[in-house]
Structures are given as C-alpha cells and as structure tokens.
Amino acid sequence: MAAPKKGRRPAGGQSRPGRALALILIAMVALTGGMFWSGHTTPRLGIDLAGGTSITLKAKAEPGQESAVNETNMNTAVSIIERRVNGLGVSEAEVQTQGRENIIVNIPRGTNEKQAREQVGTTAQLYFRPVLAVAAAAPQPMPTGTASGSPSAAPKPSASGATAGEKSATPTATASTQGRALTEALKAPSPTPTGTPKATQTPQPKQTPDPATAALEQKFTTLNCLDPKQRTAAGQGVLPAQPTVACGKNAIGQWEKYLLGPAEVEGKDVDNAKAAIDQRSGQWIVDMEFTGAGSKKFQSITSKLSQQTEPQNQFAIVLDGEVVSAPRVQTTLSASAQISGSFNQQSAQDLGNILSYGALPLAFQTQSVDTVTAALGGDQLEAGLIAGAIGLALVIIYLVAYYRGLSLIAILSLGVSALLTYVIMALLGPAIGFALNLPAVCGAIVAIGITADSFIVYFERIRDELREGRTLRPAVERAWPRARRTILVSDFVSFLAAAVLFLVTVGKVQGFAFTLGLTTLLDVVVVFLFTKPVMTLLARTKFFGNGHAWSGLDPKRLGAKPPLRRTRRANASVAGPVDPKEA
C-alpha cells in the first residue's frame, strides 16, 4: 500500500497563530513595562502644546564686514544653530530666519532647556588663543616688585596627539608673572640698563608706555569675573588679531580670568570634534580633527606652546568671549588632537558640541528671550482630539454596520496599534528627544485611516473567497497572500512619502512625517502579528466558521456560489464518457 502523501499547507497558511500572538503580547508587555520603569508615562510635548522658550537673535557683522549679513550666511547660521541645539537632545526645536537679520529659536519645555539657551546665546565666532596669564577671578593689585604668596592650584585639561595627558595643577598667575606676560605678549619696550657710572652714562630718551598695553594691563588687573556683567563684557568687540582678556571656569568650577594672545586658529578650521572614552585611562576625552588649513595653523601654534611653561603652554578655546576650555599642550600637534582632563560625559559632550558647531559665519546678539504659553496650542489640541475621536467613532460605526462580527477584529487591532503608538512615543521622548506637537497629532489621526484600510483589504479578500464557494478556514488562508501583497505595497508608499517629507522639511512638519512613518510601520506589525492570527483562530469557531448572519461572513448575504466540490463533480460528469442510451 502506497504511503499517504504529505499534505500541502494552503498558500499563506499559518499553522500556529498562537506564536505570533505571543510575540506581539511579549513586545507590548516589555514596552509598557519599560515605559513605567523609566518614569516617562506620557509623551513629551512640543512647544506648541507644552509651551517653552522663544529666543530672538540679531545678526551682527564684524567691523568692516557688513556685507556678511546675507541670505547664504544666515541660512548657514540657522543650520549650525539647529544642529547645536539638537546635538543637546532637544528635538523639535524650531530654528528659522525672520526678516533679513533675525533668527528665531523655539525650544520646547521639558527638554534640557537651560543648557540649550546657554549654547544658543553663545553664537559668536570660535577662536583658539594662546594663554599668556591666568589669575584669580577677583581684581588683584599689581605691584612693580615680585609678589609673594602661595598660588592656588586648579586641574587643567591637556591636549595631546595620541593619548590623554595627566591632570596637572596650573598655578594662578601672581602679580609679577602678570607683568612679565604682558610685557612679552604685547612687546612692551624694555627698560634701559642700569649700573653704568652716572658720569659716563649716555643720556637715553625717555620711553613712553604704549597706551594700548597700559589699557589692556589695567583691564586685566581690574577685571572681576565674579560679576556677570563684567564676564559678558570681557573680550567683546575685540578683533581676532588683537590680544584680549576673558573669563572662564576651571575644572573644579571656579571662575578665573585669562590674558590671551591673538587668535591663531578659528572655529571654521575644526573639521570634527566628539566626546570619547580613552582606552588607556578610561577617562572621558574630546577627540578633535582639523581641516587641511587648520592643521597647519594648529601645528604652528602648538610647536611654540609646547616649549613654554605653565600657563604659557595652554591654548584657550574661546566662544563668545568666554573661555570654555584651556588645555595644556604636551607636544606638537597637527591634524588631530585629544583634550583630556577632569571631564565627565556631559562636559565632554558639551565641549565636543561647541567645537563641532561653534563656528558661525556671523556674530549674534540676543534680542529677546520670551516664554511661550501653551494656551493656544492646548485649545487646538483639544479641538484636534475631538475631531480625531469623531473620526474614530465614524470608522467604528461603519465597520460595525458593514462588517458586523468582523468589526471586533478591526477594533481590537486598532486598540493594539494605538497602545503601541502611545508607548513608543512616550519612550522616544527621553531616548531621542521626540516631542509631540500638533502636526504629529494630525499624523496619528491620519494613521487611523491607513490602519483601517489594511483590515478592509484583508476582509474583502476573505469575502471574495467565500463568494467563490469556499468555506471560511481555507478562505482565510487563501485570501492572505493577495491581501498581504496589497497591504505591503500600500504601506510602503505611505512610508516612502513620510520619509521624503521628513528629509526635505524642518520644524513641525517633520513631526507629522515622523508620526506618519512610525504608525505605518506599526500597521504592518499589527496586521501580521495580530490581525491575521486572530482571524485564523476565529475562523475555527462556530460563530464565524458556520457563517452566522451577524458574523459578517454569511455566504447567503455575500451571494456565494455553490460549494466548489459540487461544481467540480458536475464538471467531471460533463467531461466523462457519454451514456450509450442517451446516444
């Protein structure tokens, strides 16, 4: 007796739908648990829904470069500011031009707003200046003689070509070292040698101190970096080729004042900078790479600084007139360098962010900082949610009226999709800084129609199979391959449109595109792992399998043909041999 042939599964068959349901259930439980574990149980709201801060910046060209305020430089500045803010994890920040010389920066509430405001406000050019002297923040007298006293020590970062240098203590400059630094840096004339007998001494003309040198010396001596107003005013209006003074914090958070030489390297010479962990020491460092022209400049200045003693072997990274870091130079550097010191992850990332995005083509002044309320956005959100609820109710009424029992599967699938969307949005807030704004809410509402359309495609394919005379269980499996193909093509087109929209737009429109793309992907997941398995299981029940009048799958109401097996027998009898009596 021949062995029975193994039966073939119906096309698109799913012998174990419980596996798919278990998989999506585990995913839902894991994501929901992660949401409660993180403490972020609600999505982060954008500035139009939660309020936030609006900063107005006004472009200001450097002296003699008034033509620099043009459309090209303004657009470049917008791009850099946007990358700088978003580099801090502040997603959904809006940066756009207003008029010819203004830039508006909107930062939503609930992000690291304070940090973003600080970096948005520091929009001047970035310079690398050699350090000539360092002193305590408060004003100190500068006697002509050698000052005595124990200098204070503070850890300073260091720069090296390959590995991070050791932390060292840089003494605060005393009065005498301040005087020597000023003399060397500003090339003040040396005094006439003494010791020759008065009778034979040749009279020398009396040398007059350089007024610029005296003014800078007085400014450095009297500068008080503990005063916020003086910190802001220090170094303002100074050209890159001129020496200047500036304030900055050391590694332990104390303010210091710096005497700085002319700028040797500009921010535009930095090609890339990022925070990293040194493999040897395990400490946070900042890796820095320069452009071709910047490498030559940096090599020239570091070759000079590496031969000096502290603090003259330091270079200051100056942004908007403030020293953000002053690392020591251990050796001659060129194309790349590492800045090491008392960094933690946050401070290393901040410095890398400043170095990467600090080179703006224009200087900017903060014109205003305003708090934006969410009252208008809240009203619009309420109206949008009402509209969404009405639309959802109409979809459910249509499904119940037309599909009857099948509407239960569609409603459950919509609920699963809504839950996954909510949980993922709540998790994306702290993860990537995603903020939910009004256009994003619109994208979620539009997704209701996309998801419902997938269910309708599948249900109609099943009904077509029933009209052909098949019973429900094979109809469910035979309808799936064709419905699956249509669903994938439709969702691919929607996702492609969302991706293109996200890439070519900015601001709030990106929120709409992101939400639309996310919900489209979730539609595929829900249809494959929930809708199809549930339909397979319900097809085995009497209510759906026997075609109950309220199941939505009643063959009589669908106008089904006679069963296919009877049709085949009739066709076989017609094709068989003719009865002799009839002949």
Side-chain angles (χ1 to χ4, degrees):
M1 183 176 179
K5 295 181 179 180
K6 294 183 178 180
R8 294 180 56 189
R9 294 180 183 176
Q14 183 174 324
S15 59
R16 296 183 180 179
R19 289 186 176 182
L21 291 174
L23 180 60
I24 194 171
L25 179 61
I26 292 173
M28 292 171 59
V29 172
L31 290 173
T32 306
M35 179 184 70
F36 284 102
W37 178 80
S38 65
H40 299 276
T41 56
T42 57
R44 178 179 293 176
L45 300 180
I47 189 171
D48 52 356
L49 298 180
T53 301
S54 180
I55 304 173
T56 302
L57 304 174
K58 183 177 181 180
K60 180 181 179 182
E62 297 293 339
Q65 300 180 3
E66 285 74 15
S67 61
V69 183
N70 53 51
E71 183 179 0
T72 300
N73 283 344
M74 290 291 287
N75 291 335
T76 302
V78 167
S79 176
I80 292 174
I81 293 175
E82 186 173 27
R83 285 183 296 167
R84 179 189 292 180
V85 176
N86 290 332
L88 297 170
V90 184
S91 183
E92 295 297 323
E94 297 178 10
V95 184
Q96 55 189 1
T97 58
Q98 185 181 70
R100 181 177 176 272
E101 56 184 15
N102 292 330
I103 290 180
I104 307 298
V105 183
N106 292 327
I107 304 171
R109 185 176 299 164
T111 61
N112 46 357
E113 179 183 330
K114 180 180 179 182
Q115 187 181 18
R117 288 177 57 180
E118 291 175 353
Q119 293 209 14
V120 167
T122 56
T123 55
Q125 290 280 3
L126 179 71
Y127 296 110
F128 292 74
R129 292 177 177 267
V131 176
L132 304 176
V134 184
Q140 294 181 351
M142 183 181 291
T144 55
T146 302
S148 60
S150 58
S152 61
K156 289 289 180 184
S158 62
S160 62
T163 59
E166 298 295 331
K167 299 177 186 177
S168 65
T170 301
T172 302
T174 61
S176 61
T177 58
Q178 292 178 20
R180 288 196 300 272
L182 281 168
T183 302
E184 295 176 5
L186 306 177
K187 299 182 180 179
S190 303
T192 303
T194 58
T196 306
K198 195 180 235 184
T200 60
Q201 183 177 14
T202 303
Q204 298 289 336
K206 184 176 181 182
Q207 297 184 5
T208 304
D210 184 2
T213 301
L216 186 61
E217 178 180 345
Q218 179 67 18
K219 187 175 182 179
F220 180 67
T221 304
T222 59
L223 177 62
N224 182 9
C225 289
L226 299 179
D227 184 356
K229 293 183 179 180
Q230 292 194 38
R231 286 201 305 265
T232 303
Q236 295 296 323
V238 179
L239 296 177
Q242 296 176 346
T244 185
V245 297
C247 298
K249 285 186 177 181
N250 57 26
I252 59 177
Q254 296 178 343
W255 284 102
E256 293 178 328
K257 56 183 177 181
Y258 294 82
L259 175 65
L260 306 174
E264 299 286 348
V265 182
E266 298 183 21
K268 64 182 181 181
D269 296 320
V270 179
D271 186 43
N272 187 31
K274 60 182 179 180
I277 296 180
D278 183 57
Q279 299 299 325
R280 188 178 67 175
S281 64
Q283 301 295 322
W284 280 98
I285 60 173
V286 177
D287 284 327
M288 198 166 44
E289 297 179 0
F290 292 89
T291 61
S295 299
K296 296 178 181 179
K297 297 178 184 178
F298 197 63
Q299 183 177 14
S300 174
I301 183 59
T302 54
S303 64
K304 299 175 184 177
L305 297 181
S306 61
Q307 307 299 322
Q308 304 294 325
T309 58
E310 294 184 3
Q312 283 80 21
N313 67 342
Q314 298 173 232
F315 66 85
I317 302 172
V318 185
L319 182 65
D320 199 26
E322 181 180 319
V323 177
V324 295
S325 183
R328 293 179 288 109
V329 177
Q330 296 178 329
T331 183
T332 302
L333 307 174
S334 57
S336 62
Q338 289 182 351
I339 302 176
S340 62
S342 302
F343 289 122
N344 55 28
Q345 181 178 3
Q346 187 64 49
S347 60
Q349 290 176 345
D350 286 346
L351 180 56
N353 193 36
I354 289 173
L355 292 174
S356 295
Y357 309 133
L360 293 177
L362 298 169
F364 287 87
Q365 290 180 335
T366 303
Q367 294 291 102
S368 63
V369 179
D370 302 318
T371 300
V372 179
T373 63
L376 179 59
D379 294 340
Q380 293 177 341
L381 176 63
E382 183 178 357
L385 293 177
I386 292 175
I390 294 174
L392 180 60
L394 291 176
V395 170
I396 293 176
I397 292 173
Y398 170 79
L399 291 173
V400 172
Y402 190 74
Y403 289 107
R404 300 193 177 188
L406 284 178
S407 63
L408 175 64
I409 303 174
I411 294 172
L412 289 176
S413 299
L414 284 172
V416 171
S417 180
L419 176 62
L420 288 174
T421 302
Y422 181 87
V423 172
I424 291 176
M425 284 184 176
L427 291 174
L428 289 179
I432 63 173
F434 171 76
L436 187 66
N437 54 21
L438 282 174
V441 174
C442 294
I445 294 174
V446 170
I448 297 175
I450 296 176
T451 305
D453 182 62
S454 299
F455 308 149
I456 292 173
V457 169
Y458 186 31
F459 294 160
E460 289 302 321
R461 291 295 187 185
I462 295 175
R463 287 183 160 196
D464 288 342
E465 295 294 332
L466 293 176
R467 292 187 182 99
E468 293 295 328
R470 294 183 177 87
T471 58
L472 181 58
R473 293 182 65 176
V476 167
E477 303 304 334
R478 292 181 64 89
W480 174 241
R482 291 191 295 171
R484 177 180 60 196
R485 189 181 307 112
T486 304
I487 292 170
L488 288 176
V489 171
S490 175
D491 284 344
F492 174 76
V493 172
S494 297
F495 182 80
L496 183 62
V500 172
L501 192 63
F502 183 85
L503 292 175
V504 302
T505 58
V506 295
K508 294 182 178 180
V509 181
Q510 283 189 328
F512 173 84
F514 182 87
T515 306
L516 182 62
L518 174 64
T519 51
T520 301
L521 290 177
L522 289 178
D523 175 52
V524 176
V525 173
V526 171
V527 170
F528 275 72
L529 299 183
F530 185 81
T531 307
K532 170 56 171 62
V534 168
M535 190 70 236
T536 300
L537 293 177
L538 292 182
R540 301 172 183 176
T541 63
K542 292 183 179 180
F543 181 78
F544 287 94
N546 294 338
H548 191 278
W550 284 96
S551 66
L553 299 171
D554 183 4
K556 294 181 180 180
R557 294 179 62 89
L558 296 176
K561 297 179 181 179
L564 289 179
R565 56 186 179 181
R566 296 178 184 176
T567 304
R568 287 172 182 168
R569 289 177 181 174
N571 292 338
S573 63
V574 171
V578 180
D579 189 346
K581 293 181 180 181
E582 295 180 0

